[in-house]
């Protein structure tokens, strides 16, 4: 995307009626994502999230609202790996730069854009992993490997055997996340 630009992206669940509508804005010095996600499953729910990043794609704030309830999560980062939840420090997230929201493929874009890996390079990171609908937040070790620059990444959990090959577009946004999300 060019400076002062916005992009609208929609994903649909791999199987099921779930849908995400994301508006991504890049302005001088900041990246703003505003989205609504409708999740299907045994207990369907919907959320709105907003993520603000600096120009280097380091998350500065994450706000999640559970639609139809009073439940809200507010995370803030100083950009140097220190986080607060609802204004209280979260020392177990020290050293974390990226949030990972289980309801969206968008949060994979943050480390992809921030790390700028070339083909064959890998990086180990830890994320602020937000689980839904509980809104729990834990540190989660992960690995990103660039399989084909600007096109394909391998995402791996370092805490389990979970891994997926992600297809991305020219903006680093996920096109295909097998078994979970695909562009609609």
């Amino acid at each position: 995307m060019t400076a002062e630009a916005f992009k609208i992206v929609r994903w649909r669940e791999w199987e099921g009626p779930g849908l995400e509508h994301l508006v991504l804005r890049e302005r001088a010095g900041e990246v703003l994502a505003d989205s609504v996600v409708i999740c299907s499953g045994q207990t369907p729910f919907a959320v709105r999230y907003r993520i603000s990043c600096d120009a280097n794609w380091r998350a500065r704030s994450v706000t999640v609202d559970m639609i139809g309830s009073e439940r809200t999560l507010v995370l803030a980062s100083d950009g140097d790996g220190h986080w607060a939840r609802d204004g209280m420090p979260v020392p177990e997230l020290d050293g974390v730069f990226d949030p990972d929201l289980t309801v969206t493929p968008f949060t994979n874009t943050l480390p992809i854009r921030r790390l700028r890996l070339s083909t064959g390079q890998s990086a180990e990171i830890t994320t602020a992993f937000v689980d839904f609908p509980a809104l729990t937040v834990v540190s989660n070790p992960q690995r990103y490997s660039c399989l084909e620059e600007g096109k394909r990444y391998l995402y791996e959990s370092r805490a389990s055997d979970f891994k997926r090959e992600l297809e991305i577009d020219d903006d680093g946004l996920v096109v295909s996340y097998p078994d979970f999300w695909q562009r609609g």
Side-chain angles (χ1 to χ4, degrees), residues 119-141:
T119 300
Q121 290 184 317
S122 293
E124 293 187 353
I125 66 169
T126 302
T127 65
F129 187 80
V130 181
D131 194 26
F132 290 83
L135 296 182
T136 56
V137 183
V138 297
S139 64
N140 184 263

Side-chain angles (χ1 to χ4, degrees), residues 136-149:
T136 56
V137 183
V138 297
S139 64
N140 184 263
Q142 302 175 354
R143 177 182 300 110
Y144 280 83
S145 301
C146 181
L147 304 175
E148 186 178 355
E149 194 169 343

Side-chain angles (χ1 to χ4, degrees), residues 22-44:
L22 172 92
V23 177
L24 183 63
R25 296 183 187 281
E26 286 190 66
R27 303 178 217 194
E30 68 179 339
V31 178
L32 304 167
D34 192 5
S35 186
V36 173
V37 184
I38 301 167
C39 298
S40 67
Q42 218 169 10
T43 308

Side-chain angles (χ1 to χ4, degrees), residues 11 15 27 33 64 78 84-85 89 92 97 113 124 183:
W11 290 278
E15 293 181 15
R27 303 178 217 194
V64 177
D78 64 2
R85 179 179 182 161
E92 54 270 21
F97 295 104
R113 291 293 301 264
E124 293 187 353
R183 285 281 179 84

Side-chain angles (χ1 to χ4, degrees), residues 103-120:
V103 295
T104 178
F106 171 70
T107 50
N108 296 97
T109 297
L110 304 181
I112 287 171
R113 291 293 301 264
R114 183 177 62 78
L115 296 168
R116 297 183 177 139
L117 300 174
S118 297
T119 300

Side-chain angles (χ1 to χ4, degrees), residues 26-88:
E26 286 190 66
R27 303 178 217 194
E30 68 179 339
V31 178
L32 304 167
D34 192 5
S35 186
V36 173
V37 184
I38 301 167
C39 298
S40 67
Q42 218 169 10
T43 308
F45 63 92
V47 301
R48 177 176 184 187
Y49 72 83
R50 290 168 302 283
I51 299 175
S52 173
C53 300
D54 65 20
N56 295 315
W57 289 80
R58 286 189 181 195
R60 300 308 301 263
S61 67
V62 177
T63 303
V64 177
D65 297 307
M66 298 296 294
I67 295 173
S69 81
E70 299 296 318
R71 296 178 47 229
T72 297
L73 168 70
V74 178
L75 294 173
S77 171
D78 64 2
D80 289 322
H82 302 99
W83 291 78
R85 179 179 182 161
D86 302 322
M88 300 298 296

